[in-house]
Amino acid sequence: MSYTIDFDQIDKIVTVTYSKTVSLADRIMAVNDVCSSCADITPLKILVDVRNLVMHLKTREQKDFAVFLSSNPLLKRARIAVLHEATFNPNVIIDTIAFNNGYKLAQFNRKNDAVVWLNEIG
């Protein structure tokens, strides 16, 4: 599997960790897995770890995935922190388009900062 999903019982944060090359189908499956298993969690806080992701999706696929994310009703109410290396975010196209479409998302390169932001109210 090219991704894992973990739930932190203390902070109530769902972490999706991508590793290596992840297909568009796998990314959609990860979103569907989160949505089906976390629909009752309010507020939904998601940490997406792309530090080990190798982006191979074509630009069109990245744009389509961003629209898919930002049109999901459950994810529109969620806070999403994207964790990437300080020098490179392989998810930048997806993040930018999703954010511009109203996705509540912020970028981080330190996990502790992402957790603090996810736990903020507002």
Side-chain angles (χ1 to χ4, degrees), residues 31 35 39 44 67-78 103:
V31 170
C35 290
L44 181 54
V67 171
F68 169 76
L69 290 173
S70 58
S71 64
N72 183 302
L74 179 63
L75 298 180
K76 281 190 180 234
R77 299 186 315 259
Y103 202 60

Side-chain angles (χ1 to χ4, degrees), residues 61-86:
E61 291 175 308
Q62 292 180 59
K63 290 177 180 178
D64 290 346
F65 185 63
V67 171
F68 169 76
L69 290 173
S70 58
S71 64
N72 183 302
L74 179 63
L75 298 180
K76 281 190 180 234
R77 299 186 315 259
R79 286 177 76 92
I80 296 91
V82 178
L83 180 62
H84 54 80
E85 294 296 332

Side-chain angles (χ1 to χ4, degrees), residues 36-104:
S36 65
S37 62
C38 302
D40 60 336
I41 299 173
T42 305
L44 181 54
K45 301 178 287 187
I46 303 171
L47 175 63
V48 180
D49 185 344
V50 296
R51 292 177 293 181
N52 294 312
L53 173 70
V54 177
M55 179 56 74
H56 84 287
L57 299 180
K58 293 177 175 33
T59 302
R60 177 80 259 157
E61 291 175 308
Q62 292 180 59
K63 290 177 180 178
D64 290 346
F65 185 63
V67 171
F68 169 76
L69 290 173
S70 58
S71 64
N72 183 302
L74 179 63
L75 298 180
K76 281 190 180 234
R77 299 186 315 259
R79 286 177 76 92
I80 296 91
V82 178
L83 180 62
H84 54 80
E85 294 296 332
T87 57
F88 179 67
N89 177 5
N91 225 44
V92 70
I93 292 172
I94 294 167
D95 296 347
T96 302
I97 293 169
F99 179 82
N100 288 340
N101 285 327
Y103 202 60
K104 193 181 283 187

Side-chain angles (χ1 to χ4, degrees), residues 3-8 11-19 27 30-31 34 38 41 43-51 69 75 78-85 91 95 103-119:
Y3 67 90
T4 60
I5 299 172
D6 300 294
F7 183 69
D8 180 329
D11 285 317
K12 307 284 190 234
I13 294 174
V14 178
T15 300
V16 179
T17 305
Y18 291 112
S19 58
R27 292 193 79 161
V31 170
V34 168
C38 302
I41 299 173
L44 181 54
K45 301 178 287 187
I46 303 171
L47 175 63
V48 180
D49 185 344
V50 296
R51 292 177 293 181
L69 290 173
L75 298 180
R79 286 177 76 92
I80 296 91
V82 178
L83 180 62
H84 54 80
E85 294 296 332
N91 225 44
D95 296 347
Y103 202 60
K104 193 181 283 187
L105 172 145
Q107 310 279 332
F108 298 92
N109 55 50
R110 293 191 338 216
K111 186 175 181 179
N112 290 345
D113 293 341
V115 169
V116 167
W117 181 81
L118 286 168
N119 285 322

